[in-house]
C-alpha cells in the first residue's frame, strides 16, 4: 500500500542511513520545484549538514535570488549560500549572440563557480565539531530524466546536462544522492506539499538553466535583461490575477532581435520588441499555444508598452511545438 507520506519517510531514513551520523551533503538549488523539494527533504533528513548553493548568474527573473533566499532560508530553514556571480557571467556573455555559445558559457561558468563555492563550504563544514566530510552531491533528478538520458540522444541530453550540472560530482570526487529519482513531476509536487512547501512554489512553471539569456535574441546586455525582467513580471502578474497560472504550463516574455519605431510623448523612439509566449503541454516535447481572450491580450500589451521603458511593440507568439520550440533560442 504505497503512499507519498510513507515514501517520504522511507526516503528520509534512507538518506540518514546513507550519509551517516556525521556525513555532509552539498547541492545546487535554483528556486524551481525539483531542487526545492530535494533540498527540503535533505534538510528534514540531516538538517544543516545539507548545504545548498544558489548561483546568481545575472540572467534570472527580477529579484529571483532574493526571493529564493527568503523562501529557502526563512521559510524552509534550509542552510543556503547565495553566490552573486552576475558580473562574471555578464562579462563572459558580452557580445555573444550564438545560442549554443551562450548555453556553454553559462553551463561552464556555473560549474566553475559552484566548484569554488563547494570547496569553501566543504573546508568550513569539516571544521565544525561533530561533523564529517562533505561526501555527497544532491541531484534533483526525476524518473523521466533517468529514462530520457538513457533512451533519448537528441538535443535534450545537453539540456539535462546543464540542468543537472552533469560531470560536476565526478570532477569533485563526490558521490551522487538522488532522492527524487523514482518520482514523476506530479509526485514531486505532492511531496513538496507534504513537506510544507508553499503552494505557489510547488506549482511553479519551469525556468531554463541558461535563464533569460535564451529569451534575449542576440547579445545579452544589462538593459535588455532589465526589459525582459520587467515585461515578464507584468505578464506573469496579469496571468496570476486572471487566475490562469495553473492552466498554463509555461509563460514568459522574450526580447526580439532588432528595433522598431514607436512614439513616446512627442518623439519617435527606436525601441525594443517584446514577444509573449504561453504554452500548454504535458511533457514539454510538444506544446500548444495558450489562447488568451482579447481583453487580456490588449491589457497586458498596453501595460508593457507603457510601463517598461524602451519597449515600443508587444507581440504574441502562438506557434505550436513543433515546428517551434518553447524557448526562443
Ligand atoms: P524547448 O525550448 O526545447 O524547451 O521547447 C523545452 C523545455 O526545456 C526548457 N529548456 C531548457 N532548460 N536548459 C534548461 O535547463 C536549457 O538549455 C533549456 N532549453 C530549454 C524550456 O524552458 C522548456 O521548459
Amino acid at each position: 500500500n504505497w503512499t507519498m507520506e510513507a515514501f517520504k519517510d522511507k526516503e528520509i531514513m534512507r538518506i540518514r542511513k546513507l550519509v551517516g551520523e556525521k556525513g555532509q551533503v552539498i547541492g545546487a538549488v535554483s528556486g524551481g520545484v525539483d531542487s526545492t523539494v530535494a533540498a527540503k527533504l535533505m534538510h528534514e533528513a540531516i538538517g544543516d549538514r545539507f548545504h545548498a548553493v544558489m548561483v546568481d548568474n545575472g540572467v534570472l527573473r527580477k529579484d529571483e535570488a532574493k526571493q529564493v533566499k527568503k523562501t529557502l532560508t526563512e521559510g524552509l530553514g534550509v542552510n543556503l549560500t547565495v553566490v552573486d556571480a552576475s558580473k562574471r557571467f555578464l562579462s563572459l556573455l558580452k557580445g555573444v549572440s550564438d545560442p549554443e555559445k551562450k548555453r556553454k558559457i553559462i553551463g561552464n561558468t556555473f560549474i566553475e563557480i559552484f566548484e569554488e563555492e563547494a570547496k569553501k563550504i566543504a573546508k568550513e563544514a569539516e571544521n565544525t565539531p561533530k561533523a564529517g566530510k562533505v561526501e555527497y552531491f544532491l541531484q534533483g533528478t526525476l524518473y523521466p530524466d533517468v529514462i530520457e538520458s538513457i533512451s533519448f540522444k537528441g538535443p535534450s541530453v545537453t539540456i539535462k546536462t546543464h540542468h543537472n550540472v552533469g560531470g560536476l560530482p565526478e570532477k569533485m570526487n563526490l558521490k551522487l544522492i538522488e532522492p527524487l529519482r523514482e518520482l514523476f513531476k506530479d509526485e514531486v509536487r505532492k511531496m513538496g506539499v507534504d513537506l510544507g512547501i508553499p503552494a505557489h512554489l510547488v506549482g511553479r512553471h519551469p525556468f531554463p538553466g541558461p535563464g533569460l539569456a535564451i529569451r534575449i535574441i542576440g547579445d545579452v546586455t544589462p538593459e535588455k535583461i532589465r526589459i525582459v525582467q520587467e515585461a515578464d513580471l507584468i505578464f506573469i502578474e496579469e496571468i496570476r490575477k486572471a487566475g490562469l497560472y495553473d492552466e498554463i504550463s509555461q509563460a514568459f516574455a522574450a526580447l526580439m532581435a532588432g528595433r522598431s519605431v514607436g512614439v513616446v510623448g512627442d518623439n519617435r523612439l527606436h525601441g525594443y520588441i517584446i514577444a509573449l509566449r504561453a504554452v500548454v503541454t504535458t511533457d514539454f516535447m510538444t506544446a500548444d499555444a495558450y489562447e488568451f481572450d482579447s481583453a487580456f491580450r490588449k491589457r497586458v500589451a498596453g501595460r508593457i508598452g507603457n510601463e517598461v521603458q524602451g519597449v515600443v511593440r508587444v507581440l504574441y507568439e502562438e506557434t505550436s511545438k513543433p515546428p517551434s520550440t518553447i524557448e526562443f533560442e
Side-chain angles (χ1 to χ4, degrees):
N1 200 354
W2 195 93
T3 64
M4 183 51 72
E5 190 70 30
F7 178 84
K8 184 195 84 190
D9 294 338
K10 212 182 90 211
E11 200 51 39
I12 289 175
M13 297 307 287
R14 194 183 72 89
I15 295 166
R16 285 188 186 141
K17 214 168 139 199
L18 189 70
V19 175
E21 301 257 297
K22 291 178 163 189
Q24 308 209 57
V25 180
I26 196 158
V29 293
S30 63
V33 185
D34 307 343
S35 66
T36 306
V37 171
K40 179 64 179 165
L41 192 66
M42 290 307 298
H43 180 75
E44 294 279 302
I46 61 167
D48 283 354
R49 285 184 290 130
F50 169 62
H51 306 265
V53 177
M54 180 185 190
V55 177
D56 181 350
N57 59 15
V59 279
L60 302 176
R61 282 164 296 191
K62 198 170 158 68
D63 292 331
E64 184 134 47
K66 264 189 235 153
Q67 275 167 20
V68 173
K69 172 91 188 162
K70 205 171 155 197
T71 318
L72 265 86
T73 312
E74 290 169 30
L76 303 175
V78 172
N79 178 7
L80 168 71
T81 308
V82 178
V83 190
D84 180 2
S86 42
K87 286 212 179 89
R88 190 155 145 194
F89 279 91
L90 295 190
S91 83
L92 290 164
L93 283 170
K94 199 170 175 182
V96 179
S97 24
D98 180 76
E100 284 316 304
K101 276 196 189 130
K102 290 188 206 171
R103 279 197 170 79
K104 266 211 186 96
I105 289 171
I106 294 172
N108 293 342
T109 311
F110 177 90
I111 289 178
E112 273 172 38
I113 290 170
F114 185 87
E115 201 177 354
E116 288 165 18
E117 198 56 36
K119 276 187 190 147
K120 275 191 231 159
I121 289 174
K123 220 170 168 183
E124 263 173 48
E126 284 160 20
N127 286 332
T128 4
K130 285 199 252 162
K133 277 177 93 67
V134 175
E135 261 184 300
Y136 286 92
F137 179 86
L138 170 70
Q139 196 152 285
T141 322
L142 307 193
Y143 190 63
D145 303 332
V146 178
I147 300 293
E148 200 174 324
S149 55
I150 298 165
S151 65
F152 191 79
K153 298 226 181 317
S156 110
V157 171
T158 6
I159 291 170
K160 296 302 172 196
T161 308
H162 284 163
H163 196 61
N164 293 329
V165 291
L168 190 58
E170 293 88 339
K171 205 171 159 217
M172 295 183 62
N173 229 343
L174 295 171
K175 287 176 266 186
L176 266 189
I177 182 163
E178 298 179 298
L180 311 179
R181 65 173 291 127
E182 287 170 34
L183 303 180
F184 285 97
K185 194 84 179 186
D186 56 324
E187 294 171 323
V188 174
R189 295 206 166 103
K190 172 89 179 45
M191 187 188 282
V193 172
D194 288 351
L195 286 164
I197 298 172
H200 71 267
L201 217 158
V202 167
R204 249 164 74 127
H205 295 168
F207 184 70
L212 303 177
I214 58 169
R215 293 179 179 174
I216 292 171
I217 296 185
D219 68 320
V220 177
T221 66
E223 188 189 30
K224 291 179 186 172
I225 295 172
R226 177 203 41 96
I227 288 174
V228 199
Q229 282 179 334
E230 291 178 5
D232 193 79
L233 195 69
I234 293 171
F235 189 33
I236 300 299
E237 189 182 295
E238 290 290 340
I239 286 174
R240 284 203 187 272
K241 246 199 265 171
L244 305 174
Y245 191 85
D246 294 338
E247 282 173 47
I248 295 170
S249 311
Q250 200 170 3
F252 57 89
L255 192 89
M256 300 300 92
R259 303 257 189 150
S260 181
V261 171
V263 253
V264 177
D266 295 330
N267 300 308
R268 284 160 74 83
L269 174 71
H270 206 200
Y272 287 101
I273 308 162
I274 281 287
L276 301 179
R277 182 149 173 75
V279 295
V280 177
T281 172
T282 45
D283 58 5
F284 294 87
M285 303 293 276
T286 61
D288 278 319
Y290 183 83
E291 287 178 52
F292 294 106
D293 65 51
S294 57
F296 178 92
R297 292 154 58 122
K298 270 192 190 168
R299 181 165 70 247
V300 178
R303 273 197 67 190
I304 293 175
N306 284 321
E307 295 173 34
V308 185
Q309 209 199 331
V311 175
V312 293
R313 238 166 261 278
V314 178
L315 317 175
Y316 284 86
E317 208 286 280
E318 295 188 335
T319 320
S320 53
K321 173 185 179 177
S324 191
T325 53
I326 295 172
E327 301 292 344
F328 281 68
E329 286 202 325

